[in-house]
Amino acid sequence: QVQLVESGGGLVQAGGSLRLSCAASGLTFSNYAMGWFRQAPGKEREFVAGISWSGVSTTYADSVKGRFTVSRDNTKSTVYLQMNSLKPEDTAVYYCATRGSRRGISPWRYDYNYWGQGTQVTVSS
């Protein structure tokens, strides 16, 4: 079955950096676009970034543009989220997800069928 496993979360001071990883198995990873979402306490899960199957196309939420970078290594079936200039409002559980179909990036959480368990990112002020 499809498994997505995130790692790399932690506690960091404002202005710091973290790199999240999401390792995929049980699917032909190179066929599918991938997305990163986050959910803060008491808030809806929101789109952060997405990357096409080839890695050529990327999309970002306005709140993270210029600070976060999504990338992928299809030889390792892994997608990454490099987060720089972190702010306290970036504090959330971060999830990777895939639609599991040959469709492009989507910012809508309900378009995604497979999710990881999430990794906590906490940014202190």
Side-chain angles (χ1 to χ4, degrees):
Q1 72 276 22
V2 176
Q3 280 196 316
L4 302 174
V5 180
E6 302 96 336
S7 61
L11 173 64
V12 64
Q13 288 189 330
S17 298
L18 283 174
R19 188 175 85 151
L20 306 184
S21 300
C22 171
S25 60
L27 76 169
T28 305
F29 180 78
S30 58
N31 284 352
Y32 304 133
M34 299 295 295
W36 283 99
F37 289 75
R38 67 186 181 187
Q39 188 166 17
K43 294 189 176 181
E44 293 289 316
R45 192 169 298 188
E46 64 176 1
F47 176 78
V48 174
I51 186 166
S52 63
W53 65 271
S54 66
V56 170
S57 297
T58 57
T59 303
Y60 297 92
D62 287 344
S63 59
V64 307
K65 275 181 186 174
R67 300 188 298 122
F68 289 12
T69 303
V70 60
S71 62
R72 66 190 296 159
D73 184 341
N74 286 345
T75 67
K76 296 181 179 179
S77 298
T78 301
V79 61
Y80 304 97
L81 186 67
Q82 178 66 44
M83 306 185 295
N84 298 329
S85 302
L86 282 161
K87 304 175 181 180
E89 51 263 44
D90 294 318
T91 295
V93 177
Y94 284 71
Y95 300 89
C96 68
T98 180
R99 300 173 75 172
S101 65
R102 290 177 180 255
R103 294 187 175 185
I105 303 166
S106 171
W108 308 112
R109 57 178 289 195
Y110 297 106
D111 283 341
Y112 290 80
N113 296 313
Y114 301 99
W115 294 84
Q117 83 289 350
T119 186
Q120 176 71 46
V121 172
T122 303
V123 184
S124 63
S125 57

